[in-house]
Amino acid sequence: MTIPFNNPDRPNSYIGKTVPRPNAAKLVQGRGRYVDDIVLPRMLHVAFSRSPVAHAKIGTFDLEEAKAVKGVVRIFTGADLAEVCTPWVAVLAHLKGLKSPPEHPLAVDRACWVGEPVVAVVATSRAAAEEAASLVVVDYEELPAVTDTMTALDADTPVIHPELGDNLAFRRLHEEGDVDAAFKSAHKVVSARFRTARHTGVTLEPRSILVDWNPAEGQMTAYHATQAPHMMQTVFAKHLDIPESRVRVVCGDVGGSYGIKVHVYPDEVATAAIAKVMGRPIKFIADRLESFSTDIHARDHEIEAKIAVDEDGKILAIDVDDWTGIGPYSVYPRTSAIEGNQVVNLCGGPYDFANYRAQTTVVFQNKTPTCQYRAVGHPIAVAITEGLVDMAAAAIGMDPVEIRRRNMYADDAYPVTSPAKMRFEGLSHHASMDKLIEMMDYDALRADQAEARKHGKYRGIGIASFIELTNPSPFMYGIGGARISAQDGCTVRMDPDGSVVALSGVTEQGQGTEAMLSQVVAEGVGVKPSKVRVITGDTQVTPYGGGTWASRGAGIGGEAALQAARALRDSILGVAAAMLQTDANKLDIRDGQVVDADTGEERMPLEELGRIVYFRGDTLPKDLPRELVQTRHFITMEYPFAFTNGVQASYLEVDPDTGVVTLLKHWCVEDCGRVINPQLVDEQIRGGIVQGLGGALYEEIHYDEDGQLLNGSMADYLVPMAAEMPDMQIAHVETPTKESELGAKGAGEAGTAGAPAAVMNAINDALRPLGAQVTEMPFTPERILRALGKIND
Amino acid sequence: MKASAGGYARAESVGHALELLAAAEGQGRVLAGGQSLIAAMNMRLSVGDLLVDISKISDLSGVAVGDGALRIGALTRHAQVGSDPLVNVHTPLLRDAVSHIAHAAIRNRGTIGGALAHADPAAEFPACALALGAILHVDGANGARSVAAEDFFEDVFTTALNEGELLTSITVPVAENGEVQVLEEVARRSGDYALVGLCLVKRSAGHRIALFSVGPKPILAKGAMAALDAGDLDAAVESLSAEIDPPSDTQASAAYRRHLAGVLLRRAVARLKGDVA
Ligand SMILES: Cc1cc2nc3c(=O)[nH]c(=O)nc-3n(C[C@H](O)[C@H](O)[C@H](O)COP(=O)(O)OP(=O)(O)OC[C@H]3O[C@@H](n4cnc5c(N)ncnc54)[C@H](O)[C@@H]3O)c2cc1C
């Protein structure tokens, strides 16, 4: 039986409605349980002495003063931990040529970035551990630092890892059609150089882990703020030589992740290794300052790109040369080549064109490692594509909306394969654009812009269409050899009181996964969402799964939950039919009652069925199945990824004297397939837009040429804040994926994907009458004034 | 990071505070609103101080008017300064400054004395004090003294306060009839320290221009003031550019700040004339 989603009056119609988040009250009342809230008997704290220089040979240690600090229990160096923890190498077989050296939990012999953990100090309190860590003396013999991406491969640039031969981590060239010929004969060619700044995720809860090794059981329990507990289980087991079945990863409440918490961090593995050596629980909570130099960074790209169009604005070719610096190591186990790879996969995404060339060059540097952060590669690819499309439109005197309409895949063109060889099952670029234009009242806005200009105000409208990769199959990591699950499972059971418990392999980090699961299960079984308790984040308890990343929670985890819930419904009805001496298909479950399917007449509450099954099973027929626990797993099979699409618009004002940009309004129309919970989806889009606006206007990690981090605090790494954020209007087009009954694709990253490009295009729209253009993010007041030629050095 | 203080004592009165500071033998550190000091301690930029908490000394707080001057107690919170009716009438510049300082929670705790004693070159109040020709009142083991704002700010986070001295209040001449006070600044986000800020006061005796975030301490732009007195705005902008030596940092270069100072002066002058930008 399928669910008639388009009928809002159907029974148990929770899918598609805003229902309250089951964990909201708990979190608001301060009753959440984050890793730092957990205190175990005999627990110790670890703090790290980190490299103060970007590249150095590690000489001798002087630990005497540190050891003398009251409360210090033990101090570990890289050599100590290398005895109990094997190093990891972050490469994947399908990313051909990707190389990276072995990485240890604490640096051995050489430190390769400012912030790399070198010595671990274990003490009875974090304060004592920190105090002692500040007294650790390490003899650093400085080596030349590689900090510039574009010269990393030059002959006279030192090679960071001589055993690898050069500083090239990965390079991929993709070519489709005859790009050179298309450019040669084109009516118009426009080229530009783009830059996206180094960012980091700035989670509200910093990275946190508490590891307990119980030698009597031979079991390790890690309480971990992570997005992927099963992945971490494998990592700890493999590198600390423990059977996988003897590692339990528990992830309770997690205060935001944005991709930051899906990677393997040396200080966290060190914490686990130390717990195993000492046989005592060890806690590590990163503080905000060390987070800036140790949480993964992302987005540090420099791009040369060009586009060729004909007289009618049809895109003939796009050519992209992307460079990114990833720090000294590819990050385990997802690798740091994915972001560049995504740029190649995603550029030109919304458009139907034939000739495409893109190359990404991924190099090593002595800076904090970069890896996947919300909307991996998308903001870069969308900025390149949408920036070029707007420039082309301006060059041929065409409206930016019109040029997009002329090039976007027709809504009935699917399935199609893009020139980047991405396969799209079904997208809605035109319907989304139509909805956006109506919602923002494009013509009225253009009139307002013209009117404002008469008064000396420079306002601009920016449009950005985008595609977003969600619901990844094993094509993302599994085929490369990583033990990162693309399938996910859900177990749903009915307890004697008629309530339902759902155990899911996807995780909650604040985005509402558990709310989504509760309503899917509620509808699937036929109870109120408040009757469903959701349990996630415990490798010993939930079905095996991948966790929450790449916008997969609802699409993969939600479908597994729906199937498990439907199976439970069927088994409940099987029992009910026997009890009521009727056919199961004549019955339904609504609001926790077994009812007559046709009339809706109540036949039996689920509590009664529970009472019989669990306490008076003797009264049921002997061979009647009564499995009120059902598990289902789901994996996508037809498409490597479920692509979504959308379009954003920004309206803003640029002050040409100060360079300050004021955001006036932002719009987004987005198609994530089935919208399970409108409020959650809208808030995901809004939150994502805010992060994208941060990238466009504020966020930038600065290093000097020696690799010193210059702005590692909240005072000078500027995150977007409420006062600067514009009103945002969100709307949806729904093109469900046919791979699942639920039809949901991901929604968590779309906002971040498109917002920077929309802002860039709006700024350039405002600046165009002044003959200026910016393409280097973030668009600081200074960069805008420089583009306007107003600053004399 | 975890802060490490050398000790903590709560002063009951100004005299008590001075005693505690004297007994601390150079390690004493006044704790007022804590909005700069605690942050510095949490970053371990300031370690091992003996904190002398003055926040409960009620005589140090409040606003009064007398002898042609407004007296503001050192412990008066930013939020109080921003909403005080006497400040509103007599020194609107200070009222306007408050809306640019940090965020509501910080303004509820931060004190004007703390902001002046801290002497952050990017802070609003020190520049306001310069522009208004304020006098800072100091008490210490060797008795009370008064220091003109022009002599008070010496360098980054450095003032004329001696070891063991307490800033007790600030007096500001009340605005004369027809006096105009204007503050202009640009910050990356609301509540951030200014990239550049400018205070302009127009009195019968002439213009006063003070800038912040343009060097190691707030400055009085005397050349620009003279040019404005002479009615030459372009010359004032040009002079201003030579009078400041702004820093370059991750937010903006010196060249940008220099440009901005000129823009802000033009905007402030436009506001004097009533052409609100
Ligand atoms: C996020 C953030 C943003 C901020 N933004 C701004 C801004 O935009 N503009 C701005 O001006 N400020 C800003 N501030 C700083 C804020 O205004 C502080 O309140 C102020 O700088 C210090 O005042 P306080 O009372 O908190 O002093 P404290 O932090 O208690 O003390 C600061 C220093 O002054 C000394 N001190 C304090 N009172 C006295 C006294 N009476 N006599 C002698 N010494 C004394 C202390 O010993 C210490 O060295 C910001 C602060 C934060 C946390």
Side-chain angles (χ1 to χ4, degrees), chain A residues 529-585:
Chain A
S530 61
K531 286 278 181 199
V532 180
R533 283 200 305 122
V534 177
I535 295 173
T536 61
D538 187 338
T539 57
Q540 210 163 69
V541 171
T542 70
Y544 200 91
T548 300
W549 43 271
S551 296
R552 70 186 293 281
I556 309 291
E559 178 68 9
L562 180 65
Q563 295 306 334
R566 305 291 292 165
L568 175 62
R569 174 185 177 275
D570 290 348
S571 21
I572 293 171
L573 289 182
V575 176
M579 289 170 69
L580 299 169
Q581 309 213 325
T582 178
D583 253 11
N585 59 20

Side-chain angles (χ1 to χ4, degrees), chain B:
Chain B
M1 274 189 254
K2 304 293 178 197
S4 143
Y8 171 90
R10 175 176 287 167
E12 308 292 341
S13 63
V14 171
H16 186 211
L18 295 177
E19 274 168 36
L20 288 168
L21 287 171
E25 292 176 351
Q27 294 300 302
R29 178 80 94 133
V30 173
L31 174 65
Q35 298 306 293
S36 295
L37 181 53
I38 300 289
M41 290 173 63
N42 283 340
M43 294 203 249
R44 285 185 163 250
L45 299 172
S46 170
V47 181
D49 293 328
L50 277 161
L51 302 179
V52 176
D53 182 352
I54 62 167
S55 64
K56 290 290 179 305
I57 307 178
S58 50
D59 346 340
L60 284 183
S61 184
V63 183
V65 70
D67 294 337
L70 196 70
R71 178 179 290 267
I72 304 175
L75 261 183
T76 313
R77 312 276 175 182
H78 302 337
Q80 279 173 277
V81 172
S83 61
D84 186 272
L86 294 173
V87 172
N88 186 36
V89 174
H90 299 299
T91 59
L93 186 67
L94 293 175
R95 174 204 63 200
D96 292 350
V98 170
S99 61
H100 291 280
I101 301 176
H103 310 277
I106 295 160
R107 295 195 291 262
N108 284 339
R109 293 207 62 85
T111 67
I112 190 167
L116 294 167
H118 190 55
D120 190 311
E124 284 80 2
F125 280 151
C128 293
L130 270 184
L132 294 168
I135 294 175
L136 291 88
H137 304 279
V138 174
D139 215 342
N142 302 327
R145 63 190 181 107
S146 298
V147 187
E150 274 180 72
D151 302 323
F152 188 77
F153 303 103
E154 295 181 343
D155 205 341
V156 185
F157 307 136
T158 309
T159 67
L161 278 173
N162 293 320
E163 188 65 57
E165 278 187 329
L166 198 64
L167 177 64
T168 52
S169 68
I170 161 179
T171 49
V172 187
V174 302
E176 56 191 43
N177 238 342
E179 177 166 334
V180 190
Q181 307 178 354
V182 173
L183 188 143
E184 284 280 337
E185 76 168 63
V186 170
R188 291 289 302 278
R189 302 169 303 180
S190 79
D192 281 350
Y193 280 105
L195 294 175
V196 174
L198 179 144
C199 309
L200 173 58
V201 173
K202 187 181 172 219
R203 292 181 174 151
S204 50
H207 295 84
R208 289 178 69 84
I209 304 170
L211 289 105
F212 49 108
S213 215
V214 293
K217 58 176 183 173
I219 65 140
L220 213 49
K222 292 185 177 151
M225 282 156 49
L228 267 198
D229 288 346
D232 189 342
L233 177 56
D234 289 339
V237 169
E238 197 162 311
S239 168
L240 189 61
S241 173
E243 287 177 271
I244 58 177
D245 183 17
S248 285
D249 57 30
T250 58
Q251 307 302 350
S253 69
Y256 174 82
R257 287 191 160 93
R258 191 165 262 127
H259 166 85
L260 196 57
V263 172
L264 296 184
L265 180 57
R266 288 184 193 280
R267 289 191 175 176
V269 169
R271 277 175 58 190
L272 283 189
K273 295 184 181 143
D275 318 339
V276 179

